[in-house]
Amino acid sequence: MPLDNSYFDNQPNFNNNNNHIFPIDRPKIFWPVAKEKMVSISGRESDRIGLWRTDREDNNFLGVHSEKYGVIENRELIENLQNQIVNSISPEYLKDIKVTDYTSFNGAVIFSEYIFPNLSEEIGNSRNTSKVSFRIIVKNSFDGSSGIRLIIGNIDMFCMNGQITGNFDVVSKKHTSRIKVDDITKRLKKGVEKFREEMVSFNWFAKHPIANTKAYDFFTKLFVSYDQETGEEKSGVSKRDRTYNQYLAYEVPARGNNVWSAVSALSAISSDNSEYFAPRKTGKDHYADTIVKNQLQVGAWLQTEAFKELTVNVG
């Protein structure tokens, strides 16, 4: 049963001439989705529907849902949001955008990442500088695990560690029969403004030193819990120690003993290039989904009281 994409008919008339900006051929995510009634072993029709990707015969099942579950195919979602990007962000920032598509769980969850090298800031001090670029991630899902999301953040081009500072729904009715893509141009414009503000803060982080002991105490406050009876460290010790090792072995030599190094050590947790934080091998196709969830967690850590104390007690 082909999907009904009529919900796009009433969307704003965005400029569609984007072939020179974004890649056209994206086989990793641009495949049609089939929607069929589920049938029991006895041949009885169910009130549930199944979703399958149609570009392959094996490992193609995406999810099972009620009949009212709404679906937006990846191509329709991505092209709609790309049109909104073009109408929200200044043309000088749209040059040389790097687009990468990722999937998890055999395509039941997909991510499209857009890095803007011409919307960047130099972060650093006399010892080291890094180029940090504006970044957008679009998330779609077919397994019921998530809504359709617009994720806004930044990425350090020196170590390719990413952070997420905004995470928003991009549909009005979530996965329902009335699903449609919202106008997110205002969110995109505000995302650019917030990126500029954050880069001022990041440069402050890079220029304010901290002692190694304060970095260690910061990681302890974030990760370690204690036994209420004995007061001994109970859990989180390994994560604290690995983060501190990342800080000492890689961040301090490159950036110096400062708040920016502590932030970058946290970001390494959500990357795939640190010897201390290799993704777990669970036998499930979870890698891209886990990376993005970890990047969301890094953003949450930077809002904690422990981080506020670190930035107040610099030196």
Side-chain angles (χ1 to χ4, degrees), residues 220 224-235 237 240:
T220 298
V224 176
S225 61
Y226 296 87
D227 187 286
Q228 292 184 352
E229 294 182 2
T230 66
E232 295 180 352
E233 293 178 340
K234 182 179 178 181
S235 63
V237 174
R240 184 267 316 275

Side-chain angles (χ1 to χ4, degrees), residues 204-205 208 210 259 263 306-314:
W204 187 93
F205 297 160
H208 284 76
I210 56 173
V259 177
V263 171
F307 185 68
K308 290 178 183 177
E309 290 175 12
L310 180 70
T311 57
V312 170
N313 300 313
V314 293

Side-chain angles (χ1 to χ4, degrees), residues 5 45 54 92 98 122 155 158 187 191 197 224 236 267 313:
N5 290 323
E45 234 183 37
T54 59
E92 65 265 30
K98 181 181 178 182
E122 293 290 334
I155 188 163
F158 173 72
R187 288 203 183 279
E197 294 170 359
V224 176
S267 299
N313 300 313

Side-chain angles (χ1 to χ4, degrees), residues 236-302:
V237 174
S238 173
K239 195 168 191 176
R240 184 267 316 275
D241 292 348
R242 285 181 288 137
T243 308
Y244 187 59
N245 287 337
Q246 172 75 27
Y247 170 81
L248 290 179
Y250 293 100
E251 310 306 337
V252 170
R255 310 172 194 275
N257 298 78
N258 51 55
V259 177
W260 178 238
S261 288
V263 171
S264 189
L266 292 178
S267 299
I269 297 173
S270 62
S271 73
D272 60 355
N273 56 13
S274 170
E275 64 179 286
Y276 298 109
F277 299 104
R280 290 187 299 169
K281 296 180 180 180
T282 64
K284 297 181 179 179
D285 178 22
H286 69 95
Y287 180 67
D289 192 56
T290 298
I291 289 292
V292 172
K293 286 179 178 176
N294 287 344
Q295 291 180 4
L296 284 165
Q297 181 60 63
V298 172
W301 287 329
L302 299 187

